[in-house]
Amino acid sequence: NASGARRARKRSSGDSPGDGQALRSSGRQINSKRKATDTEEEDDQSEKKYRKCEKAGCSATYPVCFASASDRCAKNGYTSRWYHLSCGEHFCNECFDHYYRSHKDGYETFASWKKVWTSNGKSEPSLKAFMADQQLPFWVQCTKSECRKWRQLTKEIQLTASLAATYRCGMKFNNIKVNRKFKNKLFIQVAEVTDSWWHSMLILPPLFKESPASPFLAAYYPDCVGMSPSGSSSNSVSATQTIWRKINGFALHPSVPGLCPYFQPFYQPNECGKALCVRPDMMELDELYEFPEFSRDPTMYLALRNLILASWHKNCKEMLTAQKCALHIIVRGLVRVRCVQEMDRVLNFMTRKGLINTGVLAVKQPLLPERYHFVSDLTFTKTQLHNLLFNKTFLERIGGRVWDDTSLGVTVGRGAQIVNGCVNNPIALMCEQMGVKMHKLGERCDLFQEGGQVTDPAIDKRMDFHFNAILDVVSEWRKDKSQSQDTPLGEKVQEVKKNFLQESGIQFSELEEKVLQFHLSNLEYACGSTLDQVSARSWDHNEFFAQFSGDHTLLTKGYSVLLHKLAEGLDVRTKCPVQAIDYSGDVVKVTSSNGSQWTAQKILVTVPLTLLQKNLIQFTPPLPERKLKAIHSLGAGIIEKIALQFPYRFWDSKIQGADYFGHIPPSPDKRGMFSVFYDMDPQQAVLMSVITGDAVPSVGDMEDKEVVEECMKVLRELFKEQEVPEPLHFFVTHWRKDIWSQMSYSFVKTGGSGEAYDILAEDVQGKVFFAGEATNRHFPQTVTGAYLSGVREASKMAAM
């Protein structure tokens, strides 16, 4: 029995071969399970040690907390959640709690910031916004040309424009050296920022601090125009004040110390209709076309563009560069690197657009990068081509229809001399750049009758109202009229006047009729033509676009001062009348009347409209039919001038310091004959007058002395109560006989439209370009319009 029991225990102990194998197999399974469990535990530990950013597409495999605000900061370890600001910039959940939880030490800091943000700004005062605005480190670029590396500043160091201008690697600030650890990681971070996709991973747009645009934009919410609401309180306006301004419709322009009052680059809230002005809180159509990546959130673009415009207007006498602007980009985080990178593109675009780096600015190198350059032996222009591009020849008479005369002891413009609307006008900009003073023209213009009587201002005011009312009716009439239904403006005015008198029963007095004739002569002065040739449908077509506002001024030294400054350093060939332009080949061949020839890749033609209408330049092949039709749908207006120098100022006591006085025509057939007299200089005895409308052909065949005699008859009638001396010297213009002009300025003929100006501006085959006042639909008939058309074409030629 005992031995049987032992054998049974032996078998049960697994001594048999089969039972032993089963037991060993079971042991291996147990060990395998233990190993699997150990591996899972190690994986759990690894997951706890590291956690990826949850933002889809973020390249940060192992995020690092930049904040280090909490004692329990995860740094580059494990946190329950990473908060993403950009690829390369994250903060941990512990630092989030440090500022967000009311019982934590950082809560008061966040609460104070939030109060300022909500009082000044419009965007949400989130903790992410707080971190981006207050806790992210600044980045700065080394100014040494052989280095130019980006460095991350420590939290103790505040970035300023002066620091950005002088920073060099290794600098110490209060015995604190800039942290240069993890150089490889910093390099990777910066390299990523320059990639196109990086911007799309940015959670919050950059909001600049201490931007030069700040004093210009006090009426806007800062974060709507690319600036931080937590910036300088002296330049911010409370939301309540901003809303009050919007409700009351104010367009209050802030006073910027040292700024020319004619510089108003930004619209104020509820303001509109001002030329060369931008909305600081909105991208324009051409900007959206050029920078489509900012269409979803334009904040970065607006911040850069507003900074550029403000910087330029604060100092328009020096070339504005991306390097100068970059110093004023004060924003935390890696986004500053991206902003500096984008600055080049935005600044080049603004330069091509003619909003900056324009006027009589002297430059030593092209303003645009090499990709915009082309080599040209010949270009016709007197504007911005020299600044945008180099290697050009100019064949022209400097000034064209701007021709100053100094023979009477003062400068009198035989052509243009008045600046109509100085706000944002590039002519006012040039005057500011050169220190040239403009004389502001007053509004007072007494109307004198032949016989010497001064017209009652009440009659003048009443007839001015009726005159404008007639034009308003014409404007209503044309709303549903096609070009084929057009009619001469003169006929339409008479028709409206006749209907008004019949329907109202009002009868104008003889004097009132004469005053109305005076206003009609002013209309002919504006159009440069008799009203029977002007389109009733499109006579003021440009008024549909924003126009230059503000003071009207007289350039007492004339336009020549500006034009000769523009021409400095240029290769200008005079006495080379262009006879033929052949653009049939790969290059354009230009031939002058003396047989000289030039070749170019592109040319810019700026000859007056009349010369194109009379085919005085032979184009090969002929210009497109579309362009020829537009050329002939516009009229070539003519006005003439007369200037008289007297031994003394006989008119002083009667006009009492006014800049001009009007002449009421004694009859309709005398309308336009010396309708306005300008006092050219309060220290000199020189009067200038104009001849317009039907009066132009009536003096066309007269000798100059005969024209002077007619003018003196008028003056002696206007000042009948006193002696009017004979003039010492005089001149009379003859623009119709000037072979290089044969006109004054353009107008839309009956049956035409403003579109003709745009068609004239179209280039032909990318080789022949056109500029001049008759190619500027927005600002025709003006020196400003001619200048801006040159800027426009310079930009087109540079970009193609």
Side-chain angles (χ1 to χ4, degrees):
N1 290 335
S3 63
R6 282 197 295 270
R7 284 195 298 271
R9 283 199 298 270
K10 232 178 178 181
R11 285 194 297 270
S12 65
S13 299
D15 286 345
S16 68
D19 289 343
Q21 287 177 358
L23 193 60
R24 283 193 295 272
S25 176
S26 176
R28 283 195 298 270
Q29 289 176 0
I30 292 170
N31 289 335
S32 176
K33 288 180 180 179
R34 285 177 180 171
K35 288 179 181 179
T37 304
D38 290 343
T39 303
E40 289 174 4
E41 288 177 357
E42 287 174 6
D43 288 344
D44 289 342
Q45 291 297 324
S46 175
E47 189 176 338
K48 288 183 179 179
K49 189 175 181 181
Y50 298 106
R51 190 182 186 91
K52 293 181 180 180
C53 174
E54 296 175 2
K55 172 71 174 176
C58 179
S59 59
T61 306
Y62 303 113
V64 178
C65 180
F66 65 78
S68 298
S70 170
D71 293 338
R72 300 177 58 214
C73 175
K75 301 189 184 303
N76 62 340
Y78 174 82
T79 183
S80 59
R81 179 180 176 183
W82 285 109
Y83 292 87
H84 175 106
L85 293 183
S86 75
C87 291
E89 293 172 321
H90 303 78
F91 61 96
C92 65
N93 194 62
E94 286 72 18
C95 289
F96 177 94
D97 286 346
H98 176 76
Y99 289 109
Y100 191 75
R101 306 302 176 190
S102 59
H103 62 282
K104 297 287 187 178
D105 294 341
Y107 178 76
E108 287 299 325
T109 304
F110 172 56
S112 299
W113 170 88
K114 188 174 181 179
K115 184 177 180 181
V116 174
W117 190 277
T118 52
S119 64
N120 291 334
K122 198 173 183 181
S123 56
E124 180 187 357
S126 65
L127 192 75
K128 283 188 176 182
F130 166 75
M131 288 297 210
D133 189 68
Q134 297 291 310
Q135 299 301 313
L136 273 173
F138 284 109
W139 287 77
V140 65
Q141 192 172 25
C142 178
T143 56
K144 289 189 290 188
S145 58
E146 66 274 15
C147 179
R148 305 298 294 165
K149 290 180 180 177
W150 284 93
R151 300 297 184 192
Q152 179 181 302
L153 300 180
T154 57
K155 292 180 69 173
E156 296 83 1
I157 302 171
Q158 295 291 315
L159 181 63
T160 63
S162 59
L163 172 57
T166 58
Y167 174 78
R168 293 190 167 208
C169 291
M171 284 180 66
K172 289 186 177 182
F173 306 89
N174 299 325
N175 293 322
I176 302 173
K177 195 171 183 179
V178 175
N179 188 0
R180 295 178 64 184
K181 293 181 180 179
F182 311 112
K183 286 192 287 185
N184 290 336
K185 185 175 178 63
L186 296 184
F187 174 78
I188 294 171
Q189 283 181 296
V190 172
E192 281 187 343
V193 174
T194 61
D195 290 334
S196 58
W197 57 265
W198 188 89
H199 178 255
S200 64
M201 299 297 293
L202 194 63
I203 292 296
L204 297 168
L207 297 175
F208 295 176
K209 296 189 177 184
E210 305 298 335
S211 171
S214 182
F216 290 84
L217 306 177
Y220 287 90
Y221 291 106
D223 43 346
C224 291
V225 291
M227 299 187 302
S228 171
S230 68
S232 175
S233 59
S234 61
N235 291 331
S236 62
V237 176
S238 70
T240 303
Q241 191 173 357
T242 303
I243 292 170
W244 182 85
R245 284 182 178 175
K246 289 181 179 179
I247 291 173
N248 288 275
F250 279 88
L252 181 62
H253 282 274
S255 176
V256 181
L259 189 74
C260 173
Y262 295 140
F263 291 177
Q264 298 174 18
F266 303 107
Y267 280 120
Q268 297 303 305
N270 292 338
E271 190 180 26
C272 61
K274 197 160 60 176
L276 300 189
C277 201
V278 301
R279 283 280 303 270
D281 57 344
M282 186 180 296
M283 291 178 72
E284 298 187 339
L285 288 177
D286 58 344
E287 294 174 319
L288 288 167
Y289 180 81
E290 187 81 9
F291 302 94
E293 67 271 28
F294 294 114
S295 59
R296 187 173 61 86
D297 185 349
T299 307
M300 181 186 292
Y301 177 83
L302 295 175
L304 292 170
R305 179 250 268 163
N306 295 344
L307 184 154
I308 290 169
L309 281 177
S311 299
W312 166 247
H313 285 91
K314 282 186 172 182
N315 183 10
C316 63
K317 297 180 181 180
E318 294 181 5
M319 175 180 166
L320 186 64
T321 65
Q323 290 73 28
K324 289 180 182 178
C325 292
L327 303 179
H328 298 282
I329 298 176
I330 308 299
V331 64
R332 292 178 179 272
L334 285 165
V335 73
R336 182 170 188 269
V337 180
R338 185 56 175 253
C339 288
V340 171
Q341 177 193 4
E342 295 289 351
M343 177 61 75
D344 267 321
R345 293 177 60 213
V346 180
L347 187 132
N348 290 337
F349 174 73
M350 303 300 284
T351 299
R352 297 202 324 269
K353 200 173 177 179
L355 293 180
I356 64 167
N357 290 333
T358 187
V360 292
L361 191 68
V363 297
K364 296 181 180 180
Q365 61 184 25
L367 295 174
L368 296 179
E370 188 174 352
R371 65 181 179 274
Y372 290 109
H373 297 182
F374 63 86
V375 179
S376 171
D377 299 316
L378 171 68
T379 311
F380 302 85
T381 185
K382 44 188 169 284
T383 57
Q384 188 134 344
L385 277 176
H386 180 60
N387 286 350
L388 295 184
L389 313 163
F390 277 55
N391 304 321
K392 297 164 300 299
T393 303
F394 299 77
L395 306 184
E396 65 172 45
R397 178 176 77 184
I398 296 178
R401 283 165 280 172
V402 174
W403 184 1
D404 293 333
D405 190 305
T406 58
S407 63
L408 305 183
V410 298
T411 300
V412 181
R414 286 175 173 262
Q417 194 173 5
I418 291 174
V419 182
N420 294 305
C422 287
V423 172
N424 296 335
N425 196 309
I427 306 302
L429 169 71
M430 291 185 223
C431 289
E432 180 72 11
Q433 289 171 325
M434 291 184 62
V436 173
K437 299 296 183 184
M438 296 185 291
H439 173 67
K440 177 183 174 181
L441 294 172
E443 295 182 2
R444 182 174 155 227
C445 180
D446 292 334
L447 303 185
F448 298 162
Q449 305 167 42
E450 293 196 1
Q453 303 93 333
V454 179
T455 304
D456 184 350
I459 294 178
D460 179 21
K461 187 175 181 180
R462 182 163 62 252
M463 295 315 296
D464 181 58
F465 170 81
H466 285 301
F467 169 71
N468 285 299
I470 290 172
L471 294 181
D472 288 342
V473 174
V474 174
S475 295
E476 283 296 317
W477 163 84
R478 69 186 177 193
K479 283 183 177 179
D480 59 348
K481 298 296 184 292
S482 63
Q483 277 184 248
S484 61
Q485 296 174 298
D486 199 3
T487 188
L489 179 59
E491 287 183 15
K492 198 65 191 176
V493 166
Q494 291 304 319
E495 177 189 322
V496 172
K497 174 193 168 189
K498 181 181 177 181
N499 292 338
F500 168 72
L501 294 178
Q502 288 178 347
E503 292 174 8
S504 65
I506 295 175
Q507 189 66 40
F508 292 154
S509 67
E510 182 181 353
L511 177 57
E512 288 174 332
E513 280 285 357
K514 291 178 180 179
V515 173
L516 180 60
Q517 292 299 316
F518 168 80
H519 287 295
L520 290 173
S521 72
N522 266 344
L523 183 58
E524 290 178 324
Y525 183 13
C527 295
S529 170
T530 57
L531 299 183
D532 61 351
Q533 296 186 60
V534 180
S535 165
R537 182 175 172 271
S538 302
W539 72 273
D540 62 343
H541 63 97
N542 59 308
E543 293 297 327
F544 292 99
F545 306 103
Q547 297 295 300
F548 293 104
S549 59
D551 300 333
H552 299 313
T553 60
L554 180 75
L555 288 176
T556 53
K557 293 186 178 181
Y559 274 102
S560 296
V561 177
L562 307 179
L563 296 178
H564 285 285
K565 184 67 176 179
L566 281 171
E568 279 184 7
L570 302 183
D571 180 10
V572 181
R573 313 284 179 90
T574 57
K575 300 180 181 178
C576 295
V578 173
Q579 196 172 51
I581 296 174
D582 185 342
Y583 61 98
S584 59
D586 293 335
V587 296
V588 185
K589 297 178 183 178
V590 178
T591 306
S592 71
S593 59
N594 62 13
S596 300
Q597 284 194 337
W598 293 266
T599 59
Q601 290 176 314
K602 301 177 178 68
I603 65 168
L604 178 59
V605 180
T606 65
V607 299
L609 177 67
T610 311
L611 305 191
L612 295 175
Q613 291 176 333
K614 295 185 176 182
N615 297 317
L616 294 185
I617 296 177
Q618 184 68 42
F619 288 90
T620 304
L623 293 176
E625 186 63 31
R626 167 183 166 85
K627 187 176 286 288
L628 291 174
K629 184 178 178 181
I631 287 171
H632 292 285
S633 72
L634 295 180
I638 291 281
I639 65 165
E640 301 291 0
K641 288 186 174 183
I642 180 173
L644 306 159
Q645 182 187 25
F646 295 95
Y648 58 88
R649 297 171 57 85
F650 64 86
W651 57 88
D652 257 351
S653 59
K654 194 164 186 176
I655 72 168
Q656 298 178 346
D659 291 308
Y660 34 68
F661 55 90
H663 162 218
I664 299 295
S667 60
D669 63 304
K670 293 291 185 180
R671 187 174 85 196
M673 186 71 82
F674 319 117
S675 57
V676 179
F677 287 87
Y678 292 83
D679 184 355
M680 298 306 296
D681 190 323
Q683 306 303 317
Q684 302 291 330
V686 177
L687 290 176
M688 183 272 289
S689 189
V690 293
I691 304 166
T692 64
D694 284 322
V696 173
S698 68
V699 302
D701 296 326
M702 290 185 183
E703 296 291 330
D704 286 0
K705 286 187 178 180
E706 293 178 289
V707 179
V708 171
E709 287 174 5
E710 290 296 320
C711 188
M712 290 305 299
K713 287 179 185 177
V714 170
L715 283 173
R716 288 187 171 116
E717 282 291 330
L718 301 185
F719 295 88
K720 202 164 189 177
E721 70 282 0
Q722 64 187 80
E723 181 182 351
V724 177
E726 285 293 320
L728 300 175
H729 304 285
F730 61 83
F731 72 72
V732 179
T733 65
H734 299 281
W735 285 106
R736 174 177 283 177
K737 298 177 182 178
D738 186 303
I739 60 172
W740 309 123
S741 299
Q742 303 185 37
M743 65 177 293
S744 297
Y745 40 76
S746 62
F747 65 92
V748 179
K749 291 196 295 189
T750 304
S753 76
E755 186 185 4
Y757 287 90
D758 289 336
I759 297 172
L760 255 71
E762 294 173 355
D763 64 270
V764 179
Q765 296 183 9
K767 291 183 283 189
V768 182
F769 296 77
F770 294 83
E773 60 85 15
T775 71
N776 194 324
R777 187 175 186 175
H778 291 220
F779 314 110
Q781 306 175 323
T782 63
V783 176
T784 299
Y787 174 82
L788 288 174
S789 74
V791 174
R792 177 197 69 216
E793 295 307 303
S795 176
K796 283 167 59 177
M797 295 170 79
M800 291 183 68

